[in-house]
Amino acid sequence: MARPTGRVLTLLELLQSGGTRTVAELADRLGVEGRTVRRYVDHLIDLDVPVESVRGRYGGYRLAPGYRLPPLMLSDDEALAVLLGLVAGRRAGLTTTEATANETASAKIRRVLPKHIARRLDTLLEALAFTDQPGEFDTPDTGILLTIADAVRHHRPVSIRYTDRDGQRSERTLHAYGIVAHAGRWYVTGRDARIGEDRTFRLDRITDARTLPGSFETPVGPGAAQRVLSGFATAEYRHEVTLRIHGTVEQIRARLPVSVANLEEYESASGEDRAAERWLRVELRAERLDWLPPVLASLDRPFVIERPAELRDLVIALADRLTSCAAEPDREEPMS
């Protein structure tokens, strides 16, 4: 059973979450009677926490507007959630250019944790594994990230200085629809006012961002994340690939997600099951083709390569290698 002091602190946490809390609600959350809630409120007032009493049918208690709360207090679960978020962000590369900010924030929280919570965290981190390596990506400047986020929220045009993957620099006016974190990087998607088309930009390649006068309307349609994924699938690359694959949408998307390929879904005939296997057209662009034959093999579905011919040669070469390996079961393994 929680001690009275612990319940008083819990009461403060409930009040600082905002709004007016009825006595009945607080009593239920704290597991006490209404008169005990009033006694806990008196304790907070004695500690100079300005708790206001609100009369009426929907009355109760609330914190006085403008009150600056005491130093941040986190429950055990909240502290673990914050620290795990910092660890996951660092692993994914989703941090700001201040590389030490993540580490110093973690250290400050850990320093004030009770020993039993710190031990729980250490135990968890020792047992935790990741399927990928820590991110080695360039990360965006904090000021640029916040400036663009403010432009997104208030629908303000923003001027950016951008360096593309070829090293070419340009200054653009962007109507930013949203910021998206994907595969360890930050992106902003929106309409490039100069060319009148939607574009996606890596935030770590933006060297300056300034909000401009005026406003714009965000178009109706896919959300920012969907726009970024679709942009990846249609970006300009060295090879344009067209396939026909026999299977369900789910089977194909398991190996060729939205960020990699466009999938043309035909309208189902009346009464036809949309989940049934059928021939679907798949289009994608790639800088290299050597990764695609193993992906097609892993689909384990019939497919036809329409273009390019180079991909057919690579698929045949992979099939020959697999056949050769399968035909030599007694082949000695190489020495380690």
Side-chain angles (χ1 to χ4, degrees), residues 110-251:
R110 289 177 69 99
R111 190 162 54 244
V112 298
L113 287 178
K115 290 183 178 180
H116 74 281
I117 303 179
R119 284 196 297 268
R120 287 179 62 194
L121 176 67
D122 290 337
T123 299
L124 175 59
L125 294 181
E126 288 174 3
L128 187 62
F130 292 84
T131 59
D132 59 352
Q133 297 299 315
E136 296 294 339
F137 307 117
D138 292 331
T139 47
D141 176 87
T142 304
I144 290 174
L145 179 62
L146 295 178
T147 296
I148 293 178
D150 185 72
V152 170
R153 180 178 182 181
H154 296 99
H155 306 284
R156 297 276 301 278
V158 60
S159 173
I160 62 172
R161 292 179 182 174
Y162 190 72
T163 303
D164 64 20
R165 62 183 178 184
D166 297 323
Q168 296 183 347
R169 299 178 180 179
S170 61
E171 186 164 341
R172 305 163 184 257
T173 297
L174 182 66
H175 295 172
Y177 305 149
I179 296 172
V180 178
H182 173 71
R185 287 194 172 96
W186 295 92
Y187 298 88
V188 57
T189 183
R191 176 161 292 263
D192 187 325
R194 179 173 59 84
I195 61 176
E197 296 180 1
D198 288 355
R199 288 290 185 268
T200 295
F201 302 95
R202 270 177 49 177
L203 278 174
D204 60 279
R205 291 177 175 166
I206 298 176
T207 56
D208 182 62
R210 295 176 292 105
T211 52
L212 301 173
S215 62
F216 65 90
E217 292 292 331
T218 302
V220 177
Q226 184 63 41
R227 290 176 184 274
V228 169
L229 294 177
S230 299
F232 290 153
T234 58
E236 291 296 330
Y237 289 102
R238 180 180 178 186
H239 300 283
E240 295 186 358
V241 178
T242 305
L243 309 162
R244 283 181 288 123
I245 301 176
H246 192 271
T248 66
V249 173
E250 289 75 17
Q251 289 170 336

Side-chain angles (χ1 to χ4, degrees), residues 1-327:
M1 181 178 295
R3 292 176 296 178
T5 302
R7 291 200 186 101
V8 172
L9 293 176
T10 301
L11 172 61
L12 178 58
E13 290 179 356
L14 291 172
L15 294 176
Q16 69 185 23
S17 64
T20 300
R21 302 274 186 163
T22 65
V23 173
E25 178 187 2
L26 293 171
D28 181 64
R29 294 291 297 273
L30 296 172
V32 298
E33 297 180 351
R35 60 183 179 182
T36 306
V37 171
R38 296 183 182 92
R39 188 167 70 248
Y40 290 166
V41 169
D42 290 338
H43 288 332
L44 290 177
I45 294 174
D46 290 340
L47 294 171
D48 293 328
V49 177
V51 181
E52 295 183 339
S53 176
V54 181
R55 298 182 179 277
R57 180 180 178 183
Y58 301 103
Y61 294 105
R62 68 185 179 194
L63 289 180
Y67 170 62
R68 294 194 63 179
L69 296 174
L72 179 66
M73 293 181 294
L74 298 175
S75 67
D76 293 9
D77 289 338
E78 290 170 337
L80 289 174
V82 171
L83 286 168
L84 283 176
L86 291 171
V87 170
R90 186 168 64 247
R91 293 285 309 197
L94 297 180
T95 57
T96 65
T97 52
E98 294 294 332
T100 59
N102 189 293
E103 296 178 3
T104 56
S106 298
K108 288 177 180 178
I109 295 176
R110 289 177 69 99
R111 190 162 54 244
V112 298
L113 287 178
K115 290 183 178 180
H116 74 281
I117 303 179
R119 284 196 297 268
R120 287 179 62 194
L121 176 67
D122 290 337
T123 299
L124 175 59
L125 294 181
E126 288 174 3
L128 187 62
F130 292 84
T131 59
D132 59 352
Q133 297 299 315
E136 296 294 339
F137 307 117
D138 292 331
T139 47
D141 176 87
T142 304
I144 290 174
L145 179 62
L146 295 178
T147 296
I148 293 178
D150 185 72
V152 170
R153 180 178 182 181
H154 296 99
H155 306 284
R156 297 276 301 278
V158 60
S159 173
I160 62 172
R161 292 179 182 174
Y162 190 72
T163 303
D164 64 20
R165 62 183 178 184
D166 297 323
Q168 296 183 347
R169 299 178 180 179
S170 61
E171 186 164 341
R172 305 163 184 257
T173 297
L174 182 66
H175 295 172
Y177 305 149
I179 296 172
V180 178
H182 173 71
R185 287 194 172 96
W186 295 92
Y187 298 88
V188 57
T189 183
R191 176 161 292 263
D192 187 325
R194 179 173 59 84
I195 61 176
E197 296 180 1
D198 288 355
R199 288 290 185 268
T200 295
F201 302 95
R202 270 177 49 177
L203 278 174
D204 60 279
R205 291 177 175 166
I206 298 176
T207 56
D208 182 62
R210 295 176 292 105
T211 52
L212 301 173
S215 62
F216 65 90
E217 292 292 331
T218 302
V220 177
Q226 184 63 41
R227 290 176 184 274
V228 169
L229 294 177
S230 299
F232 290 153
T234 58
E236 291 296 330
Y237 289 102
R238 180 180 178 186
H239 300 283
E240 295 186 358
V241 178
T242 305
L243 309 162
R244 283 181 288 123
I245 301 176
H246 192 271
T248 66
V249 173
E250 289 75 17
Q251 289 170 336
I252 297 171
R253 283 300 184 207
R255 294 291 183 269
L256 296 170
V258 175
S259 59
V260 173
N262 284 327
L263 182 61
E264 184 176 342
E265 301 181 40
Y266 300 101
E267 291 292 334
S268 302
S270 178
E272 182 181 354
D273 184 4
R274 280 182 51 87
E277 296 180 359
R278 60 194 187 280
W279 286 101
L280 295 172
R281 191 181 196 85
V282 178
E283 295 181 346
L284 60 96
R285 291 172 169 81
E287 199 65 28
R288 297 171 54 183
L289 296 173
D290 53 356
W291 61 272
L292 195 48
V295 171
L296 295 175
S298 68
L299 274 171
D300 195 25
R301 307 303 312 158
F303 65 87
V304 175
I305 299 172
E306 295 185 357
R307 63 172 179 169
E310 182 182 348
L311 179 58
R312 298 192 191 98
D313 296 337
L314 291 174
V315 170
I316 293 172
L318 175 62
D320 289 343
R321 290 197 301 274
L322 294 176
T323 301
S324 176
C325 291

